Amino acid sequence: MKYMLLLHEPDTDWASVPQQELDKALAEHAEFIQYLTARGRPFSGEALRPSYTATTLRPKGDEVLVTDGPFVELKEHIGGFYVIEADTLDEAIEVAKHVPLGSGVEIRPIWDA
């Protein structure tokens, strides 16, 4: 089964942080990617731009309302994600324990198409 690991963290524009802070964060994710590679299972992941770059679609009667920004106002936003393969939720939890933690990681099973 595939699981998405949603990385919640403060809304950071990584293009504007000091290089040392960026290097530290990238090194932590590089270690996690090494861990995933060593497991020998397929995975993918990406960093996301800050939430203020989001566009949200919401139903409004028979129409669709398009607005700038994320769906809800939060202090933490989804800053990135990984998609992993695991046989069980317990295995996905064990993998997620190795993710560099910002404010938390949400594990969501993905529907098989």
Side-chain angles (χ1 to χ4, degrees), residues 18-104:
Q19 188 65 43
Q20 185 177 8
E21 185 178 344
L22 176 61
D23 290 345
K24 181 179 181 283
L26 292 175
E28 290 173 347
H29 284 280
E31 286 180 32
F32 181 63
I33 289 169
Q34 287 176 345
Y35 166 79
L36 289 174
T37 301
R39 289 180 68 243
R41 295 230 176 160
F43 69 90
S44 64
E46 299 290 340
L48 299 174
R49 298 281 180 175
S51 65
Y52 66 80
T53 65
T55 300
T56 301
L57 304 178
R58 297 182 188 129
K60 185 173 184 181
D62 293 336
E63 297 184 26
V64 175
L65 178 63
V66 179
T67 59
D68 292 335
F71 186 70
V72 294
E73 296 280 334
L74 300 171
K75 291 184 181 184
E76 290 88 21
H77 296 275
I78 299 172
F81 66 90
Y82 289 98
V83 175
I84 62 165
E85 289 196 14
D87 292 331
T88 64
L89 175 58
D90 287 339
E91 183 182 354
I93 291 169
E94 187 57 38
V95 170
K97 287 179 179 179
H98 296 303
V99 175
L101 290 178
S103 298

Coordinates of all heavy atoms in Angstrom, one line a residue, residues 18-104:
P18 N 18.7 32.0 6.0 CA 20.2 32.0 5.9 C 20.6 30.6 5.4 O 20.0 29.6 5.6 CB 20.6 32.1 7.4 CG 19.5 32.8 8.1 CD 18.2 32.3 7.4
Q19 N 21.7 30.7 4.6 CA 22.2 29.5 3.9 C 22.5 28.3 4.9 O 22.2 27.2 4.6 CB 23.5 29.8 3.1 CG 23.9 28.7 2.3 CD 23.0 28.3 1.1 OE1 22.4 29.2 0.5 NE2 22.7 27.0 0.9
Q20 N 23.0 28.6 6.1 CA 23.3 27.6 7.1 C 22.0 26.9 7.5 O 22.0 25.6 7.7 CB 24.0 28.2 8.3 CG 24.4 27.3 9.3 CD 25.1 27.9 10.5 OE1 25.2 29.2 10.6 NE2 25.7 27.1 11.4
E21 N 20.9 27.6 7.7 CA 19.6 27.0 8.1 C 19.1 26.1 6.9 O 18.6 25.0 7.2 CB 18.6 28.0 8.4 CG 17.3 27.5 8.9 CD 16.3 28.6 9.3 OE1 16.7 29.8 9.5 OE2 15.1 28.3 9.5
L22 N 19.2 26.6 5.7 CA 18.8 25.8 4.5 C 19.6 24.5 4.4 O 19.1 23.4 4.2 CB 18.9 26.6 3.3 CG 18.6 25.9 2.0 CD1 17.1 25.4 2.0 CD2 18.8 26.9 0.8
D23 N 20.9 24.7 4.5 CA 21.8 23.5 4.4 C 21.5 22.4 5.5 O 21.5 21.3 5.2 CB 23.3 23.9 4.6 CG 23.8 24.7 3.4 OD1 23.1 24.7 2.3 OD2 24.9 25.4 3.5
K24 N 21.2 22.9 6.7 CA 20.9 21.9 7.8 C 19.6 21.2 7.4 O 19.5 20.0 7.6 CB 20.7 22.7 9.1 CG 20.4 21.8 10.3 CD 20.3 22.6 11.6 CE 20.0 21.7 12.8 NZ 18.6 21.3 12.9
A25 N 18.6 21.9 7.0 CA 17.3 21.2 6.6 C 17.5 20.3 5.5 O 17.0 19.1 5.5 CB 16.3 22.3 6.3
L26 N 18.3 20.7 4.5 CA 18.5 19.8 3.3 C 19.3 18.6 3.7 O 19.0 17.4 3.2 CB 19.2 20.5 2.2 CG 18.4 21.6 1.5 CD1 19.3 22.4 0.5 CD2 17.2 21.0 0.8
A27 N 20.2 18.7 4.6 CA 21.0 17.6 5.1 C 20.1 16.6 5.9 O 20.3 15.3 5.7 CB 22.2 18.0 6.0
E28 N 19.2 17.1 6.6 CA 18.3 16.2 7.4 C 17.4 15.4 6.4 O 17.2 14.2 6.6 CB 17.4 17.0 8.3 CG 18.1 17.6 9.5 CD 17.2 18.5 10.3 OE1 16.1 18.9 9.9 OE2 17.7 18.8 11.5
H29 N 16.9 16.0 5.3 CA 16.1 15.3 4.3 C 17.0 14.4 3.5 O 16.5 13.3 3.1 CB 15.4 16.3 3.5 CG 14.2 16.9 4.2 ND1 13.0 16.2 4.3 CD2 14.0 18.0 4.8 CE1 12.2 16.9 5.0 NE2 12.8 18.0 5.4
A30 N 18.3 14.7 3.3 CA 19.2 13.8 2.6 C 19.4 12.5 3.4 O 19.4 11.4 2.8 CB 20.5 14.5 2.3
E31 N 19.5 12.6 4.7 CA 19.6 11.5 5.6 C 18.3 10.6 5.5 O 18.4 9.4 5.4 CB 19.8 11.9 7.0 CG 21.2 12.4 7.3 CD 21.4 12.8 8.8 OE1 20.7 12.2 9.6 OE2 22.1 13.8 9.0
F32 N 17.2 11.2 5.5 CA 15.9 10.5 5.3 C 15.8 9.8 4.0 O 15.4 8.6 3.9 CB 14.7 11.4 5.6 CG 13.4 10.6 5.5 CD1 13.1 9.7 6.4 CD2 12.5 10.9 4.5 CE1 11.9 9.0 6.3 CE2 11.3 10.3 4.4 CZ 11.0 9.3 5.3
I33 N 16.3 10.4 2.9 CA 16.3 9.8 1.6 C 17.2 8.6 1.6 O 16.9 7.6 1.0 CB 16.6 10.8 0.5 CG1 15.4 11.8 0.4 CG2 16.9 10.2 -0.8 CD1 15.7 13.0 -0.4
Q34 N 18.4 8.7 2.2 CA 19.3 7.6 2.3 C 18.6 6.4 3.1 O 18.7 5.2 2.7 CB 20.6 8.0 3.0 CG 21.5 8.8 2.2 CD 22.7 9.3 3.0 OE1 22.8 9.2 4.2 NE2 23.7 9.8 2.2
Y35 N 17.9 6.7 4.1 CA 17.1 5.7 4.9 C 16.1 5.0 3.9 O 16.0 3.8 3.9 CB 16.4 6.3 6.1 CG 15.4 5.4 6.7 CD1 15.8 4.4 7.6 CD2 14.0 5.6 6.5 CE1 14.8 3.6 8.1 CE2 13.1 4.8 7.0 CZ 13.5 3.8 7.9 OH 12.5 3.0 8.4
L36 N 15.3 5.8 3.2 CA 14.3 5.3 2.3 C 15.0 4.4 1.2 O 14.5 3.3 0.9 CB 13.5 6.4 1.6 CG 12.5 7.1 2.5 CD1 11.9 8.3 1.8 CD2 11.5 6.2 3.1
T37 N 16.1 4.9 0.7 CA 16.8 4.1 -0.4 C 17.3 2.8 0.2 O 17.2 1.7 -0.5 CB 18.0 5.0 -0.9 OG1 17.5 6.2 -1.4 CG2 18.7 4.2 -2.0
A38 N 17.8 2.8 1.4 CA 18.3 1.5 2.0 C 17.1 0.5 2.2 O 17.4 -0.7 2.2 CB 18.9 1.8 3.3
R39 N 15.9 1.0 2.3 CA 14.8 0.1 2.5 C 14.5 -0.7 1.2 O 13.8 -1.7 1.2 CB 13.5 0.9 2.9 CG 13.5 1.4 4.3 CD 12.2 2.2 4.6 NE 11.1 1.3 4.7 CZ 10.0 1.3 3.8 NH1 9.9 2.2 2.9 NH2 9.0 0.4 4.0
G40 N 14.9 -0.1 0.1 CA 14.7 -0.8 -1.2 C 13.3 -0.8 -1.7 O 12.9 -1.6 -2.5
R41 N 12.5 0.2 -1.3 CA 11.1 0.3 -1.7 C 10.9 1.6 -2.5 O 11.6 2.6 -2.2 CB 10.2 0.3 -0.5 CG 10.2 -1.0 0.2 CD 8.8 -1.4 0.4 NE 8.7 -2.6 1.1 CZ 7.6 -3.0 1.7 NH1 6.5 -2.2 1.7 NH2 7.5 -4.2 2.2
P42 N 10.0 1.6 -3.5 CA 9.8 2.9 -4.2 C 9.3 4.0 -3.3 O 8.6 3.8 -2.3 CB 8.7 2.5 -5.2 CG 8.7 1.0 -5.3 CD 9.2 0.6 -3.9
F43 N 9.7 5.2 -3.6 CA 9.2 6.4 -2.9 C 9.4 7.6 -3.8 O 10.1 7.6 -4.8 CB 10.0 6.6 -1.6 CG 11.4 7.0 -1.7 CD1 11.8 8.4 -1.8 CD2 12.4 6.1 -1.8 CE1 13.1 8.7 -2.0 CE2 13.7 6.4 -2.0 CZ 14.1 7.8 -2.1
S44 N 8.7 8.7 -3.4 CA 8.9 10.0 -4.1 C 8.6 11.0 -3.0 O 8.1 10.8 -2.0 CB 8.0 10.1 -5.3 OG 6.6 10.1 -4.9
G45 N 9.0 12.3 -3.4 CA 8.7 13.4 -2.4 C 9.1 14.7 -3.1 O 9.9 14.7 -4.0
E46 N 8.6 15.7 -2.6 CA 8.9 17.1 -3.1 C 8.7 18.1 -1.9 O 7.9 17.9 -1.0 CB 7.9 17.5 -4.2 CG 8.0 16.6 -5.4 CD 9.3 16.7 -6.2 OE1 9.9 17.8 -6.1 OE2 9.6 15.8 -7.0
A47 N 9.4 19.2 -2.0 CA 9.1 20.3 -1.2 C 8.1 21.2 -1.9 O 8.0 21.3 -3.1 CB 10.4 21.1 -0.9
L48 N 7.3 21.9 -1.1 CA 6.3 22.8 -1.6 C 6.6 24.2 -1.3 O 7.3 24.6 -0.3 CB 4.9 22.5 -1.0 CG 4.4 21.1 -1.2 CD1 3.1 20.9 -0.4 CD2 4.1 20.8 -2.7
R49 N 6.2 25.1 -2.2 CA 6.4 26.6 -2.0 C 5.6 27.0 -0.9 O 4.6 26.3 -0.5 CB 6.0 27.3 -3.3 CG 6.9 27.0 -4.5 CD 8.2 27.7 -4.5 NE 9.0 27.3 -5.6 CZ 10.2 27.9 -5.9 NH1 10.7 28.8 -5.0 NH2 10.8 27.5 -6.9
P50 N 5.8 28.2 -0.3 CA 5.0 28.7 0.9 C 3.5 28.7 0.6 O 3.1 28.8 -0.6 CB 5.6 30.1 1.1 CG 6.9 30.1 0.5 CD 6.9 29.1 -0.7
S51 N 2.7 28.7 1.6 CA 1.3 28.6 1.5 C 0.7 29.8 0.8 O -0.3 29.7 0.1 CB 0.6 28.4 2.8 OG 0.8 29.6 3.6
Y52 N 1.4 31.0 0.9 CA 0.8 32.2 0.2 C 0.8 32.0 -1.3 O 0.2 32.8 -2.0 CB 1.5 33.4 0.7 CG 3.0 33.6 0.3 CD1 3.3 34.0 -1.0 CD2 4.0 33.3 1.2 CE1 4.7 34.1 -1.4 CE2 5.3 33.4 0.8 CZ 5.6 33.8 -0.5 OH 6.9 33.9 -0.8
T53 N 1.5 31.0 -1.8 CA 1.6 30.8 -3.3 C 0.4 29.9 -3.7 O 0.2 29.6 -4.9 CB 2.9 30.2 -3.8 OG1 3.0 28.9 -3.2 CG2 4.1 31.1 -3.4
A54 N -0.4 29.4 -2.8 CA -1.4 28.4 -3.1 C -2.6 29.1 -3.7 O -2.9 30.3 -3.5 CB -1.9 27.7 -1.8
T55 N -3.3 28.3 -4.5 CA -4.6 28.7 -5.0 C -5.6 27.6 -4.6 O -5.3 26.4 -4.7 CB -4.6 28.8 -6.6 OG1 -3.6 29.8 -6.9 CG2 -5.9 29.2 -7.1
T56 N -6.8 28.0 -4.1 CA -7.7 27.1 -3.6 C -9.0 27.2 -4.4 O -9.5 28.3 -4.7 CB -8.0 27.4 -2.1 OG1 -6.8 27.3 -1.4 CG2 -9.0 26.4 -1.5
L57 N -9.6 26.0 -4.7 CA -10.9 26.0 -5.4 C -11.9 25.4 -4.4 O -11.7 24.5 -3.7 CB -10.9 25.0 -6.6 CG -9.8 25.3 -7.6 CD1 -9.8 24.2 -8.7 CD2 -10.0 26.7 -8.2
R58 N -13.1 26.1 -4.3 CA -14.1 25.7 -3.4 C -15.5 25.8 -4.1 O -15.7 26.7 -4.9 CB -14.2 26.7 -2.2 CG -13.0 26.7 -1.3 CD -13.2 27.6 -0.1 NE -11.9 27.7 0.5 CZ -11.3 28.9 0.9 NH1 -11.9 30.0 0.6 NH2 -10.2 28.9 1.5
P59 N -16.4 24.8 -3.8 CA -17.7 24.9 -4.4 C -18.5 26.1 -3.9 O -18.4 26.4 -2.7 CB -18.3 23.6 -4.0 CG -17.6 23.1 -2.8 CD -16.2 23.7 -2.9
K60 N -19.2 26.7 -4.8 CA -20.1 27.8 -4.4 C -21.3 27.7 -5.2 O -21.4 28.2 -6.3 CB -19.4 29.2 -4.6 CG -20.2 30.3 -4.0 CD -19.5 31.7 -4.1 CE -20.4 32.7 -3.4 NZ -19.8 34.0 -3.5
G61 N -22.3 26.9 -4.7 CA -23.5 26.7 -5.4 C -23.1 25.8 -6.6 O -22.5 24.8 -6.5
D62 N -23.5 26.2 -7.8 CA -23.2 25.5 -9.0 C -21.9 26.0 -9.7 O -21.5 25.5 -10.7 CB -24.3 25.7 -10.1 CG -25.6 25.0 -9.6 OD1 -25.5 24.0 -8.8 OD2 -26.7 25.4 -10.1
E63 N -21.2 26.9 -9.0 CA -20.0 27.4 -9.6 C -18.8 27.0 -8.7 O -18.9 26.4 -7.7 CB -20.1 28.9 -9.6 CG -21.2 29.4 -10.6 CD -21.2 30.9 -10.7 OE1 -20.1 31.6 -10.5 OE2 -22.2 31.5 -11.0
V64 N -17.6 27.4 -9.1 CA -16.4 27.1 -8.4 C -15.7 28.5 -8.1 O -15.5 29.3 -9.0 CB -15.4 26.3 -9.3 CG1 -14.1 26.1 -8.5 CG2 -16.0 24.9 -9.6
L65 N -15.5 28.7 -6.8 CA -14.8 29.9 -6.3 C -13.3 29.7 -6.3 O -12.8 28.7 -5.7 CB -15.3 30.2 -4.9 CG -14.7 31.5 -4.2 CD1 -15.1 32.7 -5.0 CD2 -15.3 31.6 -2.8
V66 N -12.6 30.5 -6.9 CA -11.1 30.4 -7.0 C -10.5 31.5 -6.1 O -10.8 32.7 -6.4 CB -10.6 30.5 -8.4 CG1 -9.0 30.4 -8.4 CG2 -11.2 29.4 -9.3
T67 N -9.7 31.2 -5.1 CA -9.2 32.2 -4.2 C -7.7 32.0 -4.0 O -7.2 30.8 -4.2 CB -9.8 32.2 -2.8 OG1 -9.6 30.9 -2.2 CG2 -11.3 32.5 -2.9
D68 N -7.0 33.0 -3.7 CA -5.6 32.9 -3.4 C -5.4 32.4 -2.0 O -6.2 32.6 -1.1 CB -4.9 34.3 -3.5 CG -4.8 34.8 -4.9 OD1 -4.9 34.0 -5.8 OD2 -4.8 36.1 -5.0
G69 N -4.3 31.6 -1.8 CA -4.0 31.2 -0.4 C -4.5 29.8 -0.1 O -5.3 29.2 -0.9
P70 N -4.1 29.3 1.1 CA -4.5 27.9 1.5 C -6.0 27.9 1.9 O -6.6 28.9 2.0 CB -3.6 27.6 2.7 CG -3.3 29.0 3.2 CD -3.2 29.9 2.0
F71 N -6.5 26.7 2.1 CA -7.9 26.5 2.4 C -8.3 27.1 3.8 O -9.3 27.7 3.9 CB -8.2 25.0 2.5 CG -9.6 24.7 2.7 CD1 -10.6 25.0 1.7 CD2 -10.1 24.1 3.9 CE1 -11.9 24.7 1.9 CE2 -11.4 23.8 4.1 CZ -12.3 24.1 3.1
V72 N -7.4 27.0 4.8 CA -7.7 27.6 6.1 C -6.5 28.3 6.6 O -5.3 28.1 6.2 CB -8.0 26.5 7.1 CG1 -9.3 25.8 6.8 CG2 -6.9 25.4 7.3
E73 N -6.7 29.2 7.5 CA -5.6 30.0 8.1 C -5.0 29.1 9.2 O -5.7 28.7 10.2 CB -6.1 31.3 8.7 CG -6.7 32.3 7.7 CD -5.6 33.0 7.0 OE1 -4.5 33.2 7.6 OE2 -5.8 33.5 5.9
L74 N -3.7 28.8 9.1 CA -3.0 28.0 10.1 C -1.6 28.6 10.4 O -1.1 29.4 9.5 CB -2.8 26.6 9.6 CG -4.0 25.8 9.3 CD1 -3.6 24.5 8.6 CD2 -4.8 25.4 10.5
K75 N -1.0 28.3 11.5 CA 0.4 28.7 11.7 C 1.3 27.7 11.0 O 2.4 28.1 10.7 CB 0.7 28.7 13.2 CG -0.1 29.8 13.9 CD 0.3 29.9 15.4 CE -0.5 31.0 16.0 NZ -0.2 31.3 17.4
E76 N 1.0 26.4 10.9 CA 1.8 25.5 10.2 C 1.0 25.1 8.9 O -0.2 25.1 8.9 CB 2.0 24.2 11.0 CG 2.9 24.4 12.2 CD 2.2 24.9 13.4 OE1 1.0 24.6 13.5 OE2 2.9 25.5 14.3
H77 N 1.8 24.8 7.9 CA 1.2 24.4 6.6 C 1.9 23.1 6.1 O 3.0 22.7 6.7 CB 1.4 25.5 5.6 CG 0.6 26.7 6.0 ND1 -0.7 26.9 5.7 CD2 1.0 27.8 6.7 CE1 -1.1 28.1 6.2 NE2 -0.1 28.7 6.8
I78 N 1.4 22.5 5.1 CA 2.1 21.4 4.5 C 3.3 22.0 3.7 O 3.1 22.7 2.7 CB 1.1 20.6 3.6 CG1 0.0 20.0 4.4 CG2 1.9 19.5 2.9 CD1 -1.1 19.4 3.6
G79 N 4.5 21.6 4.1 CA 5.7 22.1 3.5 C 6.3 21.2 2.5 O 7.2 21.6 1.7
G80 N 5.8 20.0 2.5 CA 6.3 19.0 1.6 C 5.7 17.6 1.8 O 4.8 17.5 2.7
F81 N 6.1 16.6 1.1 CA 5.5 15.3 1.3 C 6.4 14.3 0.7 O 7.3 14.5 -0.1 CB 4.2 15.2 0.5 CG 4.3 15.3 -1.0 CD1 4.5 14.2 -1.7 CD2 4.3 16.5 -1.6 CE1 4.6 14.2 -3.1 CE2 4.4 16.6 -3.0 CZ 4.6 15.5 -3.7
Y82 N 6.2 13.1 1.2 CA 6.8 11.9 0.6 C 5.7 10.9 0.4 O 4.7 10.8 1.1 CB 7.8 11.2 1.6 CG 9.1 12.0 1.8 CD1 9.3 12.9 2.9 CD2 10.2 11.9 0.9 CE1 10.4 13.6 3.1 CE2 11.3 12.6 1.1 CZ 11.5 13.4 2.1 OH 12.6 14.2 2.3
V83 N 5.8 10.1 -0.7 CA 5.0 9.0 -0.9 C 5.8 7.7 -0.8 O 6.8 7.6 -1.5 CB 4.3 9.0 -2.3 CG1 3.5 7.8 -2.6 CG2 3.4 10.3 -2.4
I84 N 5.4 6.8 0.1 CA 6.2 5.6 0.4 C 5.3 4.4 0.2 O 4.1 4.5 0.1 CB 6.8 5.6 1.8 CG1 5.6 5.6 2.8 CG2 7.7 6.8 2.1 CD1 6.0 5.2 4.2
E85 N 6.0 3.3 0.1 CA 5.2 2.0 0.1 C 5.5 1.3 1.4 O 6.7 1.2 1.8 CB 5.6 1.2 -1.1 CG 5.1 1.7 -2.4 CD 5.1 0.8 -3.6 OE1 5.3 -0.5 -3.4 OE2 5.0 1.2 -4.7
A86 N 4.5 0.7 2.0 CA 4.6 0.0 3.2 C 3.6 -1.1 3.3 O 2.5 -0.9 2.7 CB 4.5 0.9 4.4
D87 N 3.8 -2.2 3.9 CA 2.9 -3.3 3.9 C 1.7 -3.0 4.9 O 0.6 -3.5 4.8 CB 3.5 -4.6 4.3 CG 4.5 -5.1 3.2 OD1 4.2 -4.8 2.0 OD2 5.5 -5.8 3.5
T88 N 2.1 -2.3 6.0 CA 1.1 -2.0 7.0 C 1.2 -0.5 7.5 O 2.2 0.1 7.3 CB 1.3 -2.9 8.3 OG1 2.6 -2.6 8.8 CG2 1.2 -4.4 7.9
L89 N 0.2 -0.1 8.2 CA 0.3 1.2 8.9 C 1.4 1.3 9.9 O 2.1 2.3 9.9 CB -1.0 1.6 9.5 CG -1.1 2.9 10.3 CD1 -0.7 4.1 9.4 CD2 -2.4 3.1 11.0
D90 N 1.6 0.2 10.6 CA 2.7 0.2 11.6 C 4.1 0.4 10.9 O 4.9 1.1 11.4 CB 2.7 -1.2 12.4 CG 1.6 -1.2 13.4 OD1 1.1 -0.2 13.8 OD2 1.3 -2.4 13.8
E91 N 4.2 -0.2 9.7 CA 5.5 0.0 9.0 C 5.6 1.4 8.5 O 6.7 2.0 8.6 CB 5.6 -1.0 7.8 CG 6.9 -0.9 7.0 CD 6.9 -1.8 5.8 OE1 6.0 -2.6 5.6 OE2 7.9 -1.7 5.1
A92 N 4.5 2.0 8.0 CA 4.5 3.4 7.6 C 4.9 4.3 8.8 O 5.6 5.3 8.6 CB 3.2 3.8 7.0
I93 N 4.3 4.0 10.0 CA 4.7 4.8 11.2 C 6.1 4.7 11.5 O 6.8 5.7 11.8 CB 3.8 4.3 12.4 CG1 2.3 4.7 12.1 CG2 4.3 4.9 13.7 CD1 1.4 4.1 13.1
E94 N 6.7 3.5 11.4 CA 8.1 3.3 11.7 C 9.0 4.1 10.7 O 9.9 4.8 11.1 CB 8.5 1.8 11.6 CG 9.9 1.6 12.0 CD 10.2 2.0 13.4 OE1 9.3 1.9 14.3 OE2 11.3 2.5 13.6
V95 N 8.6 4.2 9.4 CA 9.3 5.0 8.4 C 9.2 6.4 8.8 O 10.1 7.2 8.7 CB 8.8 4.7 7.0 CG1 9.3 5.7 6.0 CG2 9.1 3.3 6.6
A96 N 8.0 6.9 9.1 CA 7.7 8.3 9.4 C 8.5 8.8 10.6 O 8.8 10.0 10.7 CB 6.2 8.5 9.6
K97 N 8.8 7.9 11.5 CA 9.6 8.3 12.6 C 11.0 8.8 12.2 O 11.7 9.5 13.0 CB 9.8 7.2 13.6 CG 8.5 6.9 14.4 CD 8.7 5.7 15.3 CE 7.4 5.4 16.1 NZ 7.6 4.2 17.0
H98 N 11.4 8.5 11.0 CA 12.7 9.0 10.5 C 12.7 10.3 9.7 O 13.7 10.8 9.4 CB 13.4 7.9 9.7 CG 13.7 6.6 10.4 ND1 14.5 6.6 11.5 CD2 13.2 5.4 10.2 CE1 14.5 5.3 12.0 NE2 13.8 4.6 11.2
V99 N 11.5 10.8 9.5 CA 11.3 12.0 8.7 C 11.8 13.2 9.6 O 11.5 13.2 10.8 CB 9.9 12.3 8.3 CG1 9.7 13.6 7.6 CG2 9.4 11.2 7.4
P100 N 12.5 14.1 9.0 CA 12.9 15.3 9.8 C 11.6 16.0 10.2 O 10.7 16.4 9.4 CB 13.7 16.2 8.9 CG 14.2 15.3 7.8 CD 13.2 14.2 7.7
L101 N 11.3 16.2 11.5 CA 10.1 16.7 12.0 C 10.1 18.2 12.1 O 11.0 18.8 12.7 CB 9.8 16.2 13.4 CG 9.4 14.7 13.5 CD1 9.2 14.3 15.0 CD2 8.2 14.4 12.7
G102 N 9.2 18.9 11.4 CA 9.0 20.3 11.6 C 8.0 20.4 12.8 O 8.4 20.4 13.9
S103 N 6.7 20.5 12.5 CA 5.7 20.6 13.5 C 5.0 19.2 13.6 O 4.3 19.0 14.5 CB 4.7 21.6 13.2 OG 5.3 22.9 13.2
G104 N 5.2 18.3 12.6 CA 4.6 17.0 12.7 C 4.5 16.4 11.3 O 4.7 17.1 10.3

